[in-house]
């Protein structure tokens, strides 16, 4: 059970949040300019690292805001939290 | 002619609330039906928006997350960085909606009457924090959650908007009307432990949340 | 007197409070302060159980949570609880307990016959034996094995007790209130930090209550009591007794089980929750969970009367109980040696210490001599003798020479320590094997946690106290607090903790992972590792050599597993079942691992430990369920009209958490009759339905129409104010997500409806796109689902009924056409009326603020009396919508279905772009063999197919043949009986189904395939003439 620091509400329990999958997968500017393979890449293919992953969460039972979390998929350590549109912080070594 | 009387979702509950309040030591529960509630969306950083809402409400919309501004009867509760819930006594919904829409005319803002969307359950007394703690994962210690604190969270399996309305403490739970009987039943059940004849460690727990 | 083995004057029990209890139908007496185990031992009862596999006699082996043997069934009737450890059950007046796993009694047990067959009941026996012949499994092996397996019995009536939970946040959580935990808790508590101290015992103290101890000139127990009193007096401290922390989860989330009334006996605290499940979130944690003692494996090391040395010391010191008249100890370390001498000091019944080491600590040796205890250095016990109780031991030198037989009636064992690393490991923290101490110790923490005391191999009292203080100092530093002024641990003074300020966890550097204590771990054990006497002597010795007492795993089982190729400790564990019993191997895992390592020719670190998982000790389902049972097991959501529905006989259907009227039977009607009547009314006169549960979202802003254009598949910019449109929503992959009717309330304002189950999901979806992809769009979404109550008036007479309620509203087709809405007064209430239809009939959906929902409903019912208005439920709604081929999201769709599959291409724009459009150009979505929505009519009109039934092309293919692959060409999504058609009918998704119109497919079912004819999904009024009403 994670404790997640909503950028607006502060630290709250994981049950207040919903998971939104990998972050920084922008909707393609012009989907119709993509090949089927490129479009399928956007739709279906996701990173699955053993380590740090940037992902989206929404404070669904709180302020209903989406934001980004950088989380270690093994230890669950949260190394960064930032708002949508903000650049991800530099990766820690 | 048909009835135009309103029915609150907990219209049938006053007797049970009274019984629960009477049997517990320093714990009360009641419904505050028909509270005027208006959802306001807008850009808090925009001076025109702030001025327009201040002019109608007489108090500002709280900028700090998870707080409320105003008085216990007329307040604005923070819901999100661009969203607030304006609350007022019964019957003021139409006038406040009209005044806000008028005042915000031409701005990118939204004013929506949601008075019938949720009802308000108020619990109060020294055991109120422990009763909530049985189902709510927030830190409810007085030093972490006192006026003017609010929070949107969960109580057991229901979503709640929680307002610490008074230092006594008194809490107002804004719950969607379809969940109101569940939340009321849950609160009464959780409070049975605080009946005068029981207790066990109730005073100890209350003292450690105060 | 409470038992012949009570030591006069010893123990922290209340002799003035004798307590009568029954064990295996025998009446016995103990004292307040006893556990069931200590009370039994005080009465000389050692034999309390039969082992799981061989049904060997077993007695108390420990005095705590690690007990493998003394597993009992407590109480009877609805209060009965199986598989409790007698070592943890506090005695109360009238307690009733019984042994488990024996028939007919623990003294005379028929299951002992297994022992005759023990030569073949080796590791993997069940897997190897009961495989052949295969047909025997179901009818013979399984029933016999099931009967023979299992320990206690479950109660046969609902649990009469109540259970509770509580969430709690704190700065520092200290687990374990032994000397290290207490000294750590005092340090942090005096700083005013929100502190929680938890211990599983009735009173804090831990080993201070279990061994003779002195701190600053006062007895250890008295020091513990003073420390507890100080902590209890601080408002910033919560001391929880009788509470076991069983799980350590992410981000310092810990769960604990408090046993609040068990010590009083069942039913003695009405209205009080029996157990409370605590959910902690701590800024920092200090683990002082102590250490378990470890046995040594030798022949017949399972006999009753054989016990760990610390247990013997605890029974003597804490409970004033001697284990017998003549005791022997078998040790390989100074800690166990000292425990044996402490036991002697209290009980005076120890005659001999057998120490495998050449020499013990000289000071201990002097103590032994002074206490009149003979010590044999460099010797081992090869075998214990006895049947239902140990009566002697065979001793050998470490070289293997026979050194004679010694009579005894109890035997103390100490093979070293296993620090209770379970919670630390769950955290998860890594462990390291310390070869010098022959145990696993906490290594690197991944959370904000410190370790202290015996968990950290600090076994001496002074070093445990100092270690607790040091852990507290590191904790305070991490929280940005200076450690307390140095005060001697003994000199407790009242503190001014309450005046210190509160530190919100988020504001301090609380998340840094704990670091191991600086400096090397001192050696306070002086152990010479000895796992198995057989392996030390290098020869097979008589008797059975047990590793896991509860699961009856022996040394030879482990060696057999190694010979059979089990290299991984995880596999060997599961194959032999070592450590998989209810005690989770607290006294056996490390020994089993060491012997496996030896058998594999590897070192212990090379083999590694198995994974520690929660719960550390068992947790009952009742405690996990808490108050979430009965009517509170899940929210029951009801509409404002619910009371009317209930009073008028509605049968309810669960739709998610909603209770929706399913149908309204009249007296004597079954469901079929009621639905037939309701459907007829809806098609011929009028029906009324509560449609309140549909999701409703207010969408506002200059870009609202553009936003809808992007999220819906069809176009919205040109929709006139006052009009409605049916919209489809897809995911980017082009699959259907939701549908609903959306109305334009103003140029910049829409009211969207969603399906009942998707209300929250759709709002989250809209917000996701607005916040993350299109933050520039000027749109605000607000949920108004429960602001409005919706009453659907449906059928040819609906206009007349509404007119009666809204005399001022022009309801003519010209003034109020299909797919528009009007605002006005209905039944004297401000209302918004939508002319939309989910049945194909003329219909109006009237919305009023939900506090008027019941009044509106009653008014409609009253006004409809003259027009044959009939209330109907979801079943009739389904029949009516399916007759028209209207889909339901989640019924006709399952995230693999496109609008085109459903024949809804008309609602998909070819002009503008929208979410999912690109996917309709994918090869996969253009396949001609995709499943398409069709209608099915059965050849036998009385046949109503089961929803989900598979469809095949010919009767021959209705029997599944794995060789030819799946014969299914599709499945039935909706199926009902239609009174209007006088026939069953169904909607189905069939591969290339539209090309199969007119052909016969077969519905697969157990009773044989049923032929059905493929047709159009619209069964009723395909021209749509009825929606404007029939005059």
């Amino acid at each position: 059970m994670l404790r997640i620091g909503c950028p607006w509400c502060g630290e709250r329990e994981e049950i207040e949040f919903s998971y939104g999958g990998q972050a920084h997968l922008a909707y393609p500017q012009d989907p119709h300019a993509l090949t089927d393979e490129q479009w399928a890449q956007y739709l279906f293919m996701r990173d699955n690292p053993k380590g740090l992953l940037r992902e989206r969460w929404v404070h669904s039972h709180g302020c209903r805001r989406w934001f980004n979390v950088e989380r270690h998929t093994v230890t669950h350590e949260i190394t960064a939290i930032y708002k949508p549109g903000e650049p991800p912080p530099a990766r820690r070594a | 002619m048909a009835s135009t009387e309103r029915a609150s979702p907990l219209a049938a509950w006053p007797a049970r609330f009274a019984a629960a309040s009477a049997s517990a030591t320093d714990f009360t529960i009641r419904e505050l039906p028909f509270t005027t509630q208006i959802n306001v969306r807008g850009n808090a950083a925009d001076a025109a928006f702030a001025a327009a809402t201040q002019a109608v409400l007489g108090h500002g919309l709280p900028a700090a997350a998870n707080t409320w501004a105003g008085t216990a009867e007329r307040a604005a509760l923070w819901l999100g960085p661009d969203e607030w819930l304006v609350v007022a006594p019964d019957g003021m919904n139409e006038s406040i909606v009209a005044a806000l829409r008028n005042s915000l005319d031409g701005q990118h803002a939204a004013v929506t009457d949601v008075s019938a969307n949720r009802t308000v359950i108020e619990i109060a007394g020294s055991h109120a924090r422990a009763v909530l703690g049985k189902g709510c994962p927030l830190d409810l210690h007085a030093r972490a959650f006192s006026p003017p604190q609010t929070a949107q969270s969960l109580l057991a399996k229901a979503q709640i908007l929680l307002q610490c309305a008074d230092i006594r403490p008194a809490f107002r739970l804004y719950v969607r009307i379809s969940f109101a009987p569940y939340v009321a039943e849950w609160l009464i059940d959780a409070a049975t432990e605080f009946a005068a004849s029981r207790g066990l460690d109730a005073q100890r727990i209350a003292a450690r949340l105060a | 007197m409470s038992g012949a083995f009570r030591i006069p004057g010893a123990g922290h029990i209340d002799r003035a409070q004798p307590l009568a209890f029954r064990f295996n139908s025998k009446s016995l007496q103990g004292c307040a302060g006893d556990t069931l185990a200590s009370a039994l031992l005080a009465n000389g009862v050692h034999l309390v159980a039969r082992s799981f596999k061989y049904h060997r006699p077993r007695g108390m082996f420990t005095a705590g949570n690690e007990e493998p043997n003394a597993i009992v069934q407590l109480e009877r009737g609805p209060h009965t609880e199986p598989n409790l450890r007698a070592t943890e059950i506090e005695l109360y007046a009238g307690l009733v307990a019984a042994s488990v796993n024996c028939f007919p009694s623990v003294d005379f047990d028929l299951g002992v016959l297994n022992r005759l067959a023990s030569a073949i009941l080796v590791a993997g026996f069940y897997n190897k034996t009961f495989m052949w012949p295969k047909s025997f499994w179901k009818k013979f092996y399984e029933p016999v094995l099931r009967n023979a397996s299992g320990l206690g019995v479950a109660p046969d009536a609902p649990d009469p007790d109540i259970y509770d939970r509580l969430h709690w946040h704190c700065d520092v959580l200290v687990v374990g209130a032994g000397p290290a935990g207490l000294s750590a808790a005092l340090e942090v508590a005096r700083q005013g930090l929100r502190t929680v101290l938890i211990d599983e015992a009735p009173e804090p103290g831990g080993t201070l209550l279990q061994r003779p101890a002195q701190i600053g000139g006062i007895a250890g127990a008295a020091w513990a009591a003073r420390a507890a009193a100080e902590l209890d007096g601080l408002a910033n401290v919560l001391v929880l007794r009788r509470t076991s922390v069983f799980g350590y989860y992410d981000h310092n989330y810990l769960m604990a089980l408090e046993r609040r009334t068990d010590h009083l006996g069942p039913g003695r605290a009405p209205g009080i929750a029996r157990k409370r499940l605590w959910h902690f979130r701590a800024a920092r944690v200090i683990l002082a969970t102590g250490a378990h003692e470890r046995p040594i494996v030798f022949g017949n090391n399972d006999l009753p009367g054989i016990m760990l040395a610390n247990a013997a010391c605890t029974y003597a010191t804490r409970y004033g109980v001697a284990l017998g008249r003549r005791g022997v100890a078998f040790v390989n370390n100074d800690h166990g040696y000292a425990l044996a001498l402490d036991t002697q000091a209290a009980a005076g019944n120890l005659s001999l210490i057998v120490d495998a080491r050449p020499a013990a600590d000289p000071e201990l040796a002097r103590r032994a001599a002074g206490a009149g205890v003979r010590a044999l250095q460099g010797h081992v016990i090869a075998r214990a003798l006895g049947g239902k109780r140990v009566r002697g031991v065979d001793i050998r030198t470490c070289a293997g020479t026979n050194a004679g037989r010694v009579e005894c009636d109890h035997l103390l064992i100490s093979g070293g320590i296993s620090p209770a690393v379970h919670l630390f490991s769950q955290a998860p923290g890594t462990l390291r094997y310390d070869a010098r101490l022959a145990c696993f110790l906490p290594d690197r923490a991944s959370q904000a946690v410190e370790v202290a005391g015996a968990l950290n191999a600090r076994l001496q009292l002074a070093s445990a106290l100092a270690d607790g203080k040091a852990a507290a100092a590191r904790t305070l530093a991490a929280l940005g607090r200076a450690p307390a002024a140095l005060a001697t641990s003994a000199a407790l003074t009242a503190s001014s903790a309450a005046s210190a300020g509160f530190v919100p966890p988020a504001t301090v550097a609380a998340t840094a992972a704990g670091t191991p204590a600086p400096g090397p771990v001192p050696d306070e054990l002086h152990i010479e590792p000895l796992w198995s006497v057989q392996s030390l002597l290098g020869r097979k010795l008589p008797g059975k050599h047990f590793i896991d007492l509860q699961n009856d795993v022996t040394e030879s089982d482990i060696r057999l597993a190694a010979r059979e190729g089990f290299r991984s400790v995880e596999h060997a564990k599961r194959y032999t079942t070592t450590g998989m019993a209810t005690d989770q191997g607290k006294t056996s895992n490390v020994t089993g691992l060491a012997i496996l390592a030896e058998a594999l020719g590897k070192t212990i670190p090379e083999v590694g430990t198995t994974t520690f998982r929660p719960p550390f000790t068992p947790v009952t389902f009742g405690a996990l369920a808490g108050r979430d049972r009965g009517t509170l097991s899940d929210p029951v959501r009801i509409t404002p009209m619910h009371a009317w529905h209930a009073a008028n006989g509605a049968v309810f259907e669960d739709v998610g958490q909603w209770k929706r009227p399913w149908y309204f039977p009249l007296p004597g009607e079954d469901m079929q009759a009621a639905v037939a009547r309701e459907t007829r009314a809806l098609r011929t006169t009028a029906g009324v339905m509560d449609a309140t549960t549909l999701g409703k979202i207010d969408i506002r802003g200059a870009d609202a129409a553009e936003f809808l254009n992007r999220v819906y598949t069809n176009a919205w910019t040109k929709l006139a104010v006052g009009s409605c449109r049916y919209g489809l929503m897809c995911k980017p992959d082009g699959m259907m997500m939701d549908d609903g009717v959306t109305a334009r309330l103003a140029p910049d304002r829409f009211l969207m409806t969603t399906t009942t189950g998707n209300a929250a999901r759709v709002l989250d979806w809209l917000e996701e796109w607005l916040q993350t992809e299109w933050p520039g769009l000027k749109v605000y979404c607000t949920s108004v689902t429960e602001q409005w109550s919706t009453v659907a008036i449906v059928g040819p007479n609906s206009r007349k009924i509404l007119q009666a309620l809204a005399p001022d509203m022009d309801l003519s087709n010209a003034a109020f056409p299909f797919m528009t809405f009007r605002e006005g007064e209905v039944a004297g209430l401000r209302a918004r009326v939508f002319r939309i239809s989910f049945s194909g009939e003329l219909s109006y959906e009237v919305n009023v603020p939900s506090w008027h929902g019941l009044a509106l409903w009653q008014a409609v019912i009253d006004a409809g009396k003259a027009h044959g208005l009939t209330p109907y439920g979801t079943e009739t709604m389904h029949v009516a919508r399916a007759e028209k081929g209207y889909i339901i999201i989640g019924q006709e769709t399952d995230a693999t279905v496109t609008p085109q599959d459903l024949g809804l291409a008309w609602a998909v724009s070819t002009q503008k772009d929208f979410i999912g459009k690109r996917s309709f150009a994918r090869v996969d979505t253009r396949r001609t063999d995709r499943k398409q929505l069709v209608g099915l009519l059965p050849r036998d009109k009385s046949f109503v197919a089961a929803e989900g039934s598979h469809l095949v092309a010919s009767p021959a293919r209705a029997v599944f043949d794995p060789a030819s692959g799946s014969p299914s060409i599709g499945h039935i999504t909706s199926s009902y009986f239609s009174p209007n058609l006088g026939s069953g009918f169904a909607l189905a998704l069939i591969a290339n189904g539209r090309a199969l119109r007119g052909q016969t497919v077969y519905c697969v079912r157990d009773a044989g395939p049923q032929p059905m004819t493929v047709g159009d999904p619209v069964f009723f009024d395909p021209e749509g003439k009825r929606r404007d009403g029939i005059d």
Side-chain angles (χ1 to χ4, degrees), chain C residues 617-665:
Chain C
T617 46
V619 182
T620 57
F621 284 116
L624 291 172
R627 296 178 182 276
D628 299 341
R629 54 188 249 188
T631 53
L632 294 177
S633 63
D634 202 43
V636 172
R637 301 178 66 184
I638 57 173
T639 73
M641 294 82 117
H642 184 84
W644 190 97
H645 304 327
N648 286 273
V651 175
F652 291 96
E653 179 186 27
D654 289 333
V655 181
Q657 292 170 325
W658 289 101
K659 288 274 179 220
R660 296 194 68 181
W662 195 7
Y663 55 98
F664 290 86

Side-chain angles (χ1 to χ4, degrees), chain C residues 52 65 136 223 284 374 614 627 676 700 827 991:
Chain C
F52 189 59
N65 61 38
F136 266 45
W223 184 88
R284 297 200 73 89
R374 190 162 66 105
R627 296 178 182 276
R700 208 178 290 230

Side-chain angles (χ1 to χ4, degrees), chain C residues 738-966:
Chain C
D738 203 58
D739 69 349
V741 170
T742 290
R744 191 164 205 167
L745 304 180
D748 63 345
R749 190 174 169 206
F750 293 83
L751 182 69
M752 174 187 282
T753 62
T754 75
T755 54
T756 296
N758 268 346
R761 206 169 312 152
V762 169
L763 182 61
D764 281 352
W765 178 248
L766 301 181
E767 286 288 353
E768 180 178 355
W769 286 91
L770 282 174
Q771 291 175 32
T772 66
E773 289 290 345
W774 309 319
L777 283 187
K778 288 190 168 169
V779 179
Y780 286 124
C781 301
T782 306
S783 169
V784 290
T785 294
E786 305 206 24
Q787 170 72 16
W788 301 98
S789 279
T790 307
V791 176
I793 311 170
V794 181
N797 290 347
S798 58
R799 184 177 285 138
K800 290 179 204 156
I801 296 165
L802 182 59
Q803 195 72 76
L805 293 165
D808 299 336
M809 204 178 273
D810 185 348
L811 300 180
S812 66
N813 276 323
F816 192 172
F818 184 58
M819 291 307 266
T820 62
F821 73 89
R822 297 290 177 265
E823 288 177 344
E825 266 201 4
V826 177
L829 307 167
R830 293 269 297 275
R832 194 180 280 146
V833 182
F834 294 85
R835 219 196 114 186
I836 53 182
S837 178
F838 198 42
S839 59
E841 300 296 325
L842 174 70
S843 110
Y844 300 88
E845 294 193 0
V846 186
N847 286 261
V848 292
S850 56
W851 53 43
H852 282 140
L854 183 58
L856 173 68
W857 178 270
Q858 188 62 59
V860 171
I861 292 286
D862 293 345
K865 276 187 183 133
H867 304 286
L869 182 76
T870 299
Y872 68 92
T874 51
E875 188 68 14
T876 292
M877 174 194 82
H878 274 286
V879 172
R881 67 91 195 170
E883 285 174 346
K884 289 290 295 175
Y886 295 152
I887 61 142
I888 297 256
I889 295 289
Q891 190 155 342
E892 270 65 52
T893 69
D894 63 0
T896 67
V897 180
T898 66
Q900 294 85 347
D901 295 341
L902 297 173
L904 297 173
W906 59 267
V908 179
S909 167
T910 54
Q911 310 296 316
K912 53 139 198 171
D913 195 15
F914 55 85
I915 297 170
K917 186 176 189 185
R918 171 64 182 85
S919 290
F920 298 141
R922 294 181 65 229
V923 173
D924 182 62
T925 50
R926 286 182 291 142
R927 281 186 293 117
T928 52
D929 62 344
R930 289 186 65 84
K931 287 186 181 178
Q932 296 162 346
L933 188 73
V934 295
L936 295 178
L937 283 170
R939 199 170 291 169
D940 170 3
K941 289 183 180 229
S942 68
F943 175 61
V944 180
E947 288 174 353
S949 297
H950 278 280
L951 300 163
V952 294
S954 75
R957 303 222 66 191
V959 180
F960 181 63
D961 172 14
S964 50
S966 171

Side-chain angles (χ1 to χ4, degrees), chain C residues 974-986:
Chain C
S974 293
S975 175
Y976 311 95
F977 184 82
S978 165
N980 295 303
L981 305 172
S983 170
F985 73 108

Side-chain angles (χ1 to χ4, degrees), chain C residues 298 472 1006:
Chain C
F298 54 89
D1006 287 348

Side-chain angles (χ1 to χ4, degrees), chain B residues 116 157 178 193 201 204 208, chain C residues 232 237 239 260 633 786 850:
Chain B
K157 296 177 185 172
S178 67
E193 190 110 354
D201 56 2
R204 194 164 62 102
R208 275 149 186 79
Chain C
D232 278 330
V237 182
V239 181
R260 304 174 77 218
S633 63
E786 305 206 24
S850 56

